[in-house]
Amino acid sequence: MAGKTRGRGGLRDRLLVKPGSTVNLADVDPNETFGHVKVTAEVKVAADLERLTSLQERLWAEHRHRVLIVLQGIDASGKDGTITHVMRAFNPLGCRVVGFGVPNPVELAHDYLWRVHQVVPGNGEISVFNRSHYEAVLVERVHSLVPQEVWSRRYDQINAFEQMLVEEGTTILKFFLHIDRDEQKRRLQARVSNPTKRWKFKMGDLAERKLWADYMAAFNEALMRCSTEQAPWFVIPANHNWFRNLAVGDIAAASLDALDPKYPPGEQIPKDLKIE
Ligand code: AMP
Ligand code: MG
């Protein structure tokens, strides 16, 4: 995953989970910053956010490409923070953020992709998923909410679903925010201690924390089996929020840039048209 050369740049290649490669999150340093430092990173993030704003405006105007951004990670890994600090570059006109919680009775009465398919991006739109269909092979696997024979066939189903979306014109970027157990402890403790963060804490988070190893096994398998050429996973070292923002902003900007969205020419309008 991480390349041999250190230093700046090339975050996309370094953080990409190469299709078919083995993933062991235990071997990925969540403190990695590839030689970047906070002060200069913040300047670069600001520049990338400006690029993202401009790219999204063109994307929306052109009404052609569809972009799906998936955020996954254990509790307190920074999914919400990434939306606050990176996705804020996008104008809400043409961008929507969707959080996937415990399925409601109607959702439970359907297949697991049903609620997801309804909110994939249309032409010119960006959808940001805070959790996603991957929960079907994460929490549902870890808690045996469905039997193994059911969740084990979902990897291929997810790949087929994503491949269909891509073939129909969607660009998919999937970010896994990687923190370690100590960092999660610090963040959960901060949630408990800070009245402005307490609303995020649930007693159930402690039970989930005990299942750390099971979650890591589930993440490893999802990353390994579902990082494809069409819909790649990126593992983002996320102990440092500033590096997480830098990496996600950099990869998102490079990916939207590659779509080369253009303002449409508009109607044929006489050059000397005077508005009365
Ligand atoms: P949060 O992201 O903190 O708002 O929490 C959302 C909760 O919904 C998490 O505890 C997830 O584990 C849970 N959740 C999301 N998708 C599913 C699912 N498919 N089945 C069960 N629980 C889920
Ligand atoms: Mg939570």
Side-chain angles (χ1 to χ4, degrees):
M1 199 177 311
K4 275 182 221 118
T5 44
R6 292 179 69 87
R8 290 144 184 249
L11 289 177
R12 194 177 203 286
D13 288 344
R14 287 194 176 125
L15 302 177
L16 172 75
V17 177
K18 307 231 164 25
S21 69
T22 325
V23 177
N24 186 5
L25 288 169
D27 297 338
V28 183
D29 180 2
N31 285 304
E32 181 65 83
T33 61
F34 297 105
H36 288 274
V37 292
K38 191 172 175 180
V39 226
T40 45
E42 283 170 351
V43 176
K44 161 127 171 67
V45 171
D48 279 340
L49 294 198
E50 274 185 39
R51 271 172 84 201
L52 284 171
T53 300
S54 158
L55 284 160
Q56 187 226 357
E57 187 180 73
R58 281 178 272 151
L59 201 83
W60 177 238
E62 190 179 43
H63 216 72
R64 179 166 156 233
H65 302 286
R66 310 162 181 176
V67 177
L68 173 59
I69 298 176
V70 170
L71 298 174
Q72 284 287 168
I74 198 119
D75 289 332
S77 57
K79 301 182 289 297
D80 294 4
T82 304
I83 293 168
T84 308
H85 297 287
V86 182
M87 306 307 159
R88 71 154 185 237
F90 301 138
N91 186 333
L93 207 60
C95 172
R96 76 172 133 184
V97 174
V98 190
F100 291 91
V102 180
N104 67 30
V106 179
E107 291 167 347
L108 278 176
H110 292 81
D111 68 86
Y112 67 99
L113 291 173
W114 180 79
R115 65 174 179 168
V116 174
H117 204 170
Q118 294 177 59
V119 288
V120 298
N123 288 348
E125 291 179 345
I126 299 178
S127 288
V128 179
F129 284 2
N130 189 357
R131 304 184 189 269
S132 66
H133 43 300
Y134 281 92
E135 294 294 333
V137 288
L138 298 170
V139 65
E140 295 193 39
R141 161 178 163 158
V142 169
H143 285 275
S144 302
L145 300 179
V146 293
Q148 176 163 7
E149 67 181 277
V150 172
W151 61 252
S152 61
R153 57 189 181 222
R154 288 178 170 172
Y155 301 95
D156 291 341
Q157 292 167 353
I158 287 172
N159 287 340
F161 172 66
E162 292 181 353
Q163 184 178 345
M164 181 278 290
L165 293 178
V166 171
E167 286 171 359
E168 291 286 320
T170 307
T171 296
I172 305 183
L173 300 171
K174 301 179 294 195
F175 296 106
F176 176 77
L177 308 183
H178 178 47
I179 60 168
D180 58 33
R181 212 160 176 265
D182 285 344
E183 183 61 24
Q184 190 198 44
K185 180 179 169 179
R186 274 191 289 279
R187 293 181 184 194
L188 290 178
Q189 189 64 60
R191 286 184 181 180
V192 172
S193 317
N194 181 339
T196 70
K197 291 185 175 170
R198 189 167 254 183
W199 62 276
K200 281 199 180 194
F201 184 80
K202 304 215 168 41
M203 285 307 285
D205 293 348
L206 299 180
E208 294 301 283
R209 179 167 161 76
K210 293 211 172 82
L211 298 169
W212 184 273
D214 295 342
Y215 271 107
M216 290 305 131
F219 289 138
N220 280 337
E221 188 159 0
L223 293 166
M224 218 157 16
R225 294 188 58 182
C226 299
S227 193
T228 58
E229 296 292 344
Q230 317 91 288
W233 269 111
F234 298 92
V235 173
I236 310 294
N239 270 10
H240 298 294
N241 291 343
W242 63 264
F243 181 77
R244 172 204 74 202
N245 295 341
L246 175 78
V248 173
D250 178 271
I251 294 168
S255 307
L256 295 201
D257 212 30
L259 295 177
D260 193 21
K262 290 192 169 60
Y263 290 112
E267 287 178 40
Q268 289 263 332
I269 303 168
K271 274 210 175 63
D272 54 357
L273 178 74
K274 290 271 185 305
I275 311 289
E276 299 293 339

